[in-house]
Amino acid sequence: MDAIDQRIISCLVADARSSYAEIGGVVGLSAPAVKRRVDKLLDTGVLRGFTAVVDPEALGWGTEAFIEVHCRGNVTPGEIRIGLEPLPEVVAAYTVSGAADAIVHLRAADIHHLESALERLRAVDFIERTVSTVVLSRLLERPPAPGA
């Protein structure tokens, strides 16, 4: 990946609906050349796709929390993932260093929905205990900056 690829990615992060011609005008390439580079970035996994960014609050999912998950015994990351996948409120999950085995990001409609989701999370057979932190406000959220 070179500087031109990084500039193409920056254009797509700013507006994924930009045409290849528009991006080409910014980076100094023809539309077909931009398409070839985007295809290569997709093939190599640098770009994983294009998606709409939706405000969860507008969809009624304005309550969120980060949950430390502590597991009983040795549980693999794959087992954790399988245990979390059925819970629609889980929007992301990460294995982490430190005391917790994983951090789970939950979204819910309101605090009652969050409590219900937490109860279902705690019912997963390998989860020994959880520690919850409810988000009060989002201070910063941004995509990674290519080349930073």
Side-chain angles (χ1 to χ4, degrees):
M1 189 167 68
D2 62 14
I4 293 174
D5 289 335
Q6 290 179 351
R7 290 175 57 209
I8 290 170
I9 293 168
S10 292
C11 289
L12 290 170
V13 167
D15 182 3
R17 296 185 331 160
S18 298
S19 70
Y20 294 136
E22 290 169 332
I23 295 169
V26 172
V27 302
L29 294 175
S30 68
V34 171
K35 182 189 181 319
R36 281 191 300 274
R37 283 178 175 256
V38 168
D39 288 345
K40 183 178 176 187
L41 291 167
L42 285 164
D43 290 343
T44 59
V46 174
L47 291 176
R48 296 187 305 184
F50 306 90
T51 188
V53 179
V54 179
D55 179 0
E57 287 188 47
L59 298 178
W61 290 70
T63 302
E64 62 186 313
F66 290 90
I67 317 301
E68 290 182 17
V69 172
H70 299 262
C71 298
R72 243 179 245 100
N74 291 327
V75 180
T76 67
E79 290 170 313
I80 295 171
R81 188 173 132 224
I82 289 168
L84 298 175
E85 282 179 331
L87 304 173
E89 296 86 358
V90 174
V91 294
Y94 311 92
T95 54
V96 294
S97 63
D101 295 292
I103 299 288
V104 174
H105 183 192
L106 289 180
R107 285 199 182 275
D110 54 35
I111 202 72
H112 301 293
H113 182 191
L114 180 63
E115 182 177 23
S116 170
L118 283 169
E119 288 169 2
R120 285 183 280 112
L121 175 67
R122 290 182 188 122
V124 174
D125 64 347
F126 55 78
I127 294 180
E128 182 173 280
R129 70 183 179 92
T130 62
V131 178
S132 304
T133 303
V134 176
V135 174
L136 299 177
S137 63
R138 183 172 302 127
L139 301 176
L140 179 66
E141 184 175 63
R142 62 179 164 204

